[in-house]
Amino acid sequence: MKIAILSRNQHLYSTRRLQEAILAAGHESVIVDHLLCDLIIEQEGPSIIYKGEKLEGIDAIIPRIGASVTFYGTAVVRQFELMGAFSAVQSEAIVRSRDKLRSLQILSKAGLGMPKTAFTNFSKGGEKTLIERVGGAPLIIKLLEGTQGLGVVLAETKKAAQSVIEAFHGLKARIIVQEFIKEAKGADIRAFIVNGKVVGAMKRQGAEGEFRSNLHRGGKASVIRLSKQERLAALGAAKALGLDIAGVDMLQSERGPLILEVNSSPGLEGIEKATANDIAGDIVQYIEESVKKLAKKKRIKHEQADQNRD
């Protein structure tokens, strides 16, 4: 098979590991910068021009789409899908997961545990009501467009919360307000899902004095064994959003696991180093199995069509 990794930087850990796993499995690997792809849409069908050449013969793709380029990145993924390539993460699932508000709405509909969350339109004097909806201060205020812990604020008092919300509203920035889970103590869990299975899990502890546990913010990771409840919550979140590959972030609380976020392009470095698991290899194996299943379905469909013609 010829597998393309959609990545803007071939030197990133995740990109390198995926390429190594593809080659180790005996397949051909190509790294494609999705922002350099030109999408051609015409009557003859969709095609992609990359660095002046028409991209052909791609059997499968592994999207590594950054949050800042979600719109164009998912357009490229969709084009590959329309050209018949299997995508390890479907374009619609990426869009669904990147919209924080939409993803939380979907998770809520699925009955999954999560911190109580409130969202409102810009309204003068509405800050007090918003704060009350999540149980008062302390509380978390998040920019809907924030990533890697950026745009996340802990407001320890009601007055501080009102000031931050007013400031964000003044800038016309879309935010959500969430209850603060004190018993989590600045730590969270990331469960890595591949093809309906948890292939690795780690606990991330925030740096001293830091309520955010992101590794990019100085957090430390260690391997963890998930409880049955945590495993089911992680699998349920990935399924609800239609993601076959996902990083599910959860908090441990007195009322069970609470889903914070579901990442459609989770990094491999932290999870592989914490667990020593070959997660890149798991992803390639999933692609192999999926492409075989699709090929079998196509073959059966063609055989049935031939029989009908006879």
Side-chain angles (χ1 to χ4, degrees), residues 96-293:
R96 206 178 291 124
S97 66
R98 285 288 164 77
D99 184 332
K100 286 186 181 180
L101 181 60
R102 182 183 178 188
S103 64
L104 288 172
Q105 289 172 317
I106 292 169
L107 296 174
S108 174
K109 173 67 175 176
L112 293 162
M114 65 183 70
K116 192 170 184 179
T117 303
F119 174 74
T120 187
N121 196 19
F122 303 115
S123 57
K124 190 173 181 180
E127 296 83 10
K128 292 181 181 179
T129 303
L130 202 60
I131 293 167
E132 291 169 2
R133 291 281 183 263
V134 297
L139 55 80
I140 301 293
I141 302 166
K142 292 182 180 180
L143 277 173
L144 285 177
E145 291 79 22
T147 60
Q148 298 178 348
L150 296 172
V152 181
V153 178
L154 169 62
E156 297 188 356
T157 66
K158 189 174 181 180
K159 187 174 182 181
Q162 284 182 239
S163 297
V164 174
I165 294 171
E166 285 174 3
F168 277 134
H169 279 182
L171 295 169
K172 301 298 181 184
R174 296 291 181 185
I175 60 169
I176 54 174
V177 175
Q178 289 186 325
E179 67 172 312
F180 177 63
I181 308 301
K182 184 179 180 181
E183 61 266 29
K185 298 178 181 178
D188 74 3
I189 294 171
R190 166 161 287 188
F192 206 109
I193 312 293
V194 178
N195 194 23
K197 298 176 183 176
V198 176
V199 295
M202 62 179 174
K203 186 169 186 175
R204 304 182 298 187
Q205 179 65 56
E208 186 69 29
E210 174 62 76
F211 72 95
R212 297 168 296 183
S213 60
N214 305 73
L215 301 185
H216 291 87
R217 307 262 73 81
K220 302 295 182 183
S222 58
V223 66
I224 185 174
R225 185 178 178 84
L226 298 182
S227 68
K228 182 179 179 181
Q229 196 177 10
E230 289 163 350
R231 183 178 296 272
L232 290 174
L235 292 173
K239 184 178 180 180
L241 293 175
L243 291 167
D244 290 317
I245 296 174
V248 182
D249 297 339
M250 303 178 284
L251 293 178
Q252 293 177 308
S253 80
E254 292 172 350
R255 61 180 190 266
L258 304 178
I259 308 294
L260 281 178
E261 188 174 0
V262 184
N263 194 323
S264 57
S265 291
L268 298 180
E269 185 170 11
I271 193 75
E272 284 200 337
K273 289 184 176 179
T275 64
N277 293 346
D278 179 15
I279 292 174
D282 292 329
I283 291 172
V284 173
Q285 185 179 359
Y286 158 61
I287 292 171
E288 289 174 333
E289 293 171 357
S290 298
V291 171
K292 284 178 183 176
K293 286 180 183 177

